[in-house]
């Protein structure tokens, strides 16, 4: 009798949790959609607005800077005000900012509106991670992050393909109109499917001063910083690849926007599949830190292959193979470092910890993206050099901080 009674009670809870994870995965796709969907249009934007490669890449940098700002504001705010309302405001603002991007009169206007779009999207991204921390503990966080990447991983696979197909019928402005529509759909989903996960009695009561103290404590925590910084450097490499690959593949190797989108989708698929393997192994057969190390070794191997390819002008197939190996490594590193950074933090500061993790990721991405363009447009070497430098730095930071003696202070 007890079993018969319990099953109807458990099933609705499981369905609600599954629906919530689906919505959170879709919300976490805001970042990849905002970044990847307009990548095939980079050369077109440069031509229409009479802008150079570095200027067009600044539209990507502006979005990344905005995401950092949005996270550092919305994360601590959600610790005080709860998760739901800041999330809804962020999604609505994202839809409006995307539409403004579509009507940008100049490259500088586009840069400014991309900044606003990033701020709004960053609020959604940081709260998604905080909600996961509210609901799960320990190694389960790594598994849930991997599950979310399975859902949101469709975005970097499909976004450049969709963007390239849209360019067959409209200009890059139509891409941003589409992103605005996506924002409205996500707002409707969040209104109906996301409940408050941080009760009032568990919220932080401090103001800005308390937030700064929390940030300071996290910055001095070696275990947190090892994961957060390594993940940030990994994201920096990801955005160096994202900003440089449209020009390298289309201008250096001469592929079409459609072929570029397929190559990009292949690499995104490599990242997503590896993340699923890591999620299944985390906390069961392999410790999360060991999975991160495996990913870092894979990333360094891919970076070495990429450098050799660029130095000796090897064929396109070698370039694609090198990038694919790097993306496989990132599939272990990115969700693993994010989960490991949050797992040791109490629920009351999950928003702040998520914000600081996200700020490091997107700030380093914002720095890395234009570096590729400043190195020149006629070779893959600038992109390869930046990727290699960031990948090896991530390994050094992760190993160095985790092995530091217990008495060593971070500040």
């Amino acid at each position: 009798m007890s079993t018969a009674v319990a099953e109807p009670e458990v099933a609705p809870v499981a369905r609600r949790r599954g629906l919530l994870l689906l919505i959170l995965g879709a919300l976490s796709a805001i970042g990849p959609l905002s970044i990847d969907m307009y990548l095939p249009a980079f050369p077109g934007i440069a031509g229409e607005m009479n802008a150079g490669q570095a200027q067009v890449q600044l539209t990507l940098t502006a979005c990344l800077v905005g995401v950092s700002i949005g996270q550092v504001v919305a994360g601590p705010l959600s610790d005080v005000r709860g998760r739901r309302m800041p999330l809804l405001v962020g999604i609505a603002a994202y839809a409006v900012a995307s539409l403004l991007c579509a009507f940008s009169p100049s490259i500088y206007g586009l840069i400014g509106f991309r900044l606003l779009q990033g701020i709004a999207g960053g609020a959604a991204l940081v709260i998604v991670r905080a909600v996961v921390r509210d609901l799960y503990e320990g190694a389960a966080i790594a598994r849930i992050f991997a599950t979310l990447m399975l859902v949101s991983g469709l975005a970097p696979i499909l976004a450049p393909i969709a963007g390239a197909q849209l360019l067959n019928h409209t200009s890059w402005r139509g891409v941003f109109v589409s992103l605005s529509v996506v924002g409205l759909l996500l707002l409707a989903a969040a209104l109906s499917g996301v409940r408050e996960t941080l009760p009032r009695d568990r919220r932080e009561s401090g103001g800005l001063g308390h937030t700064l103290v929390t940030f300071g404590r996290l910055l001095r925590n070696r275990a947190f910083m090892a994961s957060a910084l390594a993940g940030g450097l990994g994201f920096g490499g990801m955005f160096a690849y994202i900003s440089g690959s449209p020009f390298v593949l289309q201008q250096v190797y001469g592929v079409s926007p459609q072929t570029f989108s397929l190559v990009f989708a292949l690499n995104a698929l490599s990242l997503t599949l590896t993340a699923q393997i890591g999620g299944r192994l985390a906390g069961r057969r392999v410790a999360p830190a060991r999975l991160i190390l495996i990913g870092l070794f894979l990333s360094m191997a891919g970076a070495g292959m990429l450098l050799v390819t660029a130095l000796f002008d090897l064929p396109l197939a070698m370039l694609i193979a090198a990038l694919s190996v790097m993306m496989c490594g990132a599939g272990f590193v990115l969700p693993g470092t994010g989960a490991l950074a949050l797992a040791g933090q109490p629920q009351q500061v999950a928003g702040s910890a998520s914000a600081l993790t996200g700020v490091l990721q997107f700030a380093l991405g914002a720095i890395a993206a234009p570096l590729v363009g400043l190195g020149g447009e006629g070779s893959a070497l600038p992109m390869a050099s930046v990727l290699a430098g960031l990948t090896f730095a991530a390994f050094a930071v992760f190993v160095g901080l985790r092995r530091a003696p217990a008495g060593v202070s971070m500040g």
Side-chain angles (χ1 to χ4, degrees):
M1 292 292 294
S2 60
T3 303
V5 172
E7 285 181 355
E9 296 177 353
V10 172
V13 174
R15 284 197 297 269
R16 285 198 301 270
R17 188 65 62 88
L19 177 62
L20 176 61
L21 289 178
L22 182 63
I23 295 172
L24 292 179
L27 288 171
S28 64
I30 280 181
L33 285 173
S34 304
I35 293 163
D36 302 337
M37 197 165 177
Y38 86 131
L39 290 180
F42 267 23
I45 294 173
E48 179 183 330
M49 295 190 163
N50 195 27
Q53 176 181 340
Q55 286 178 303
V56 176
Q57 286 170 335
L58 279 176
T59 65
L60 176 59
T61 298
C63 183
L64 302 182
V65 171
V67 170
S68 297
I69 296 171
Q71 291 186 97
V72 81
V73 172
L77 180 65
S78 74
D79 287 339
V80 177
R81 299 293 185 183
R83 313 297 188 203
R84 192 169 188 269
M85 187 52 63
L87 175 65
L88 297 177
V89 171
I91 302 169
Y94 175 85
V96 174
S98 298
L99 196 60
L100 291 174
C101 288
F103 293 97
S104 300
S106 67
I107 189 66
Y108 299 107
L110 181 58
I111 290 170
F113 291 138
R114 286 282 285 168
L115 177 67
L116 295 178
Q117 186 188 38
I119 291 172
L125 292 174
V126 71
I127 293 172
V128 164
R129 291 194 300 268
V131 168
V132 172
R133 177 61 188 88
D134 290 342
L135 299 176
Y136 298 94
E137 298 283 346
I141 299 176
R143 292 194 293 272
I144 296 303
F145 275 9
T147 302
L148 294 183
M149 185 167 282
L150 177 61
V151 179
S152 64
L154 292 173
I157 295 171
L158 299 177
I161 297 175
Q165 294 306 313
L166 280 171
L167 291 176
N168 286 331
H169 306 285
T170 184
S171 70
W172 60 269
R173 297 179 188 275
V175 174
F176 283 105
V177 172
S178 300
L179 287 175
S180 181
V181 173
V182 169
L184 292 175
L185 293 175
L186 290 174
L187 178 61
L191 280 168
S192 62
V194 179
R195 301 180 179 182
E196 182 58 64
T197 59
L198 185 64
R200 290 184 180 276
D201 59 347
R202 295 184 182 179
R203 296 177 188 176
E204 286 287 283
S205 58
L208 176 61
H210 183 79
T211 297
L212 294 176
V213 169
T214 301
F215 280 168
R217 186 166 62 248
L218 290 169
L219 288 168
R220 292 190 297 272
N221 185 319
R222 289 195 316 276
F224 173 83
M225 289 302 294
S227 296
L229 266 180
L233 290 163
F235 262 84
M238 181 74 68
F239 289 121
Y241 156 68
I242 287 170
S243 68
S245 60
F247 294 99
V248 169
L249 287 167
Q250 294 182 74
Q251 295 185 353
V252 177
Y253 282 88
V255 306
S256 67
Q258 287 70 32
T259 302
F260 161 75
S261 67
L262 292 175
V263 172
F264 197 90
L266 172 65
N267 289 327
L269 181 63
S270 298
L271 185 149
T272 304
L273 290 178
T274 310
Q276 300 319 298
I277 295 172
R280 290 183 178 277
L281 293 177
R284 295 177 180 177
R285 301 178 181 85
V286 185
R290 181 160 299 191
L291 283 173
I292 295 170
L293 284 173
I294 293 171
L296 288 169
F297 279 119
L298 278 173
S299 296
M300 288 189 293
M305 292 169 59
L306 188 61
L307 272 176
V308 171
T309 301
L311 285 170
F312 296 99
D313 293 323
L314 298 182
L316 176 63
M318 185 67 177
L319 179 81
I320 294 173
L323 291 173
S324 183
V325 172
M326 288 197 71
M327 291 303 105
C328 285
F332 287 129
V333 173
L334 298 184
T337 52
L340 203 58
L342 290 180
Q345 308 308 318
Q347 184 181 6
Q348 290 87 344
V349 298
S352 296
S354 177
L356 187 54
T357 302
V359 166
L360 288 171
Q361 291 172 350
F362 285 91
L364 287 167
I367 293 170
L371 290 179
V372 177
L374 293 176
E377 302 182 11
S379 168
L381 187 57
M383 183 181 75
S385 300
V386 173
L387 281 170
L390 290 169
T391 300
F392 283 91
F395 175 80
V397 164
F398 187 75
V399 173
L401 288 180
R402 286 182 64 85
R403 289 185 176 179
V408 176
S409 173
M410 287 287 292

